[in-house]
Amino acid sequence: MAKASLIQRELKRDKLVAKFAAKHAELKAASNDLKKTEEERAAARLALQKLPRNANPTRQRNRCEITGRPRGTFRQFGLARAKIRELAFNGDIPGVTKASW
């Protein structure tokens, strides 16, 4: 189980990314637009740097919904590998069965 503070930090990042998503996308597009002048592109990059650091989507971390474990998380389920195995053996995940051949 991950520390509660780390889970809360990740939730705070999620809110910040959602808040600045439109502005981040707009500035990113402006900085990559070759039709704009070099000064405009530099200004867009500078404005992008002035956004809060945690507003960048690459700083988000996938965590298990149950335990908060940051590694070994499957995107399809949003769960860590150990929890997927546990829930699949109990039959709590529909359509997932233990392999046997």
Side-chain angles (χ1 to χ4, degrees), residues 14-99:
D14 291 343
K15 289 178 187 174
L16 208 56
V17 166
K19 180 179 178 182
F20 287 99
K23 188 168 188 166
H24 188 274
E26 175 188 329
L27 290 172
K28 189 79 169 167
S31 68
N32 292 333
D33 189 7
L34 296 176
K35 295 178 182 174
K36 294 188 183 267
T37 65
E38 192 59 40
E39 291 81 21
E40 291 173 332
R41 293 173 60 202
R45 283 192 296 269
L46 189 64
L48 196 58
Q49 289 176 359
K50 290 189 179 201
L51 290 179
R53 181 171 286 177
N54 284 332
N56 194 344
T58 58
R59 291 181 65 93
Q60 289 177 309
R61 181 79 185 191
N62 292 334
R63 288 187 174 270
C64 176
E65 291 292 325
I66 298 172
T67 62
R69 179 181 165 85
R71 295 178 184 225
T73 305
F74 286 69
R75 288 181 186 165
Q76 184 178 3
F77 302 107
L79 300 172
R81 56 186 170 75
K83 281 296 171 186
I84 289 176
R85 179 183 164 96
E86 181 183 309
L87 294 174
F89 284 163
N90 294 340
D92 295 336
I93 303 177
V96 176
T97 58
K98 183 179 176 185

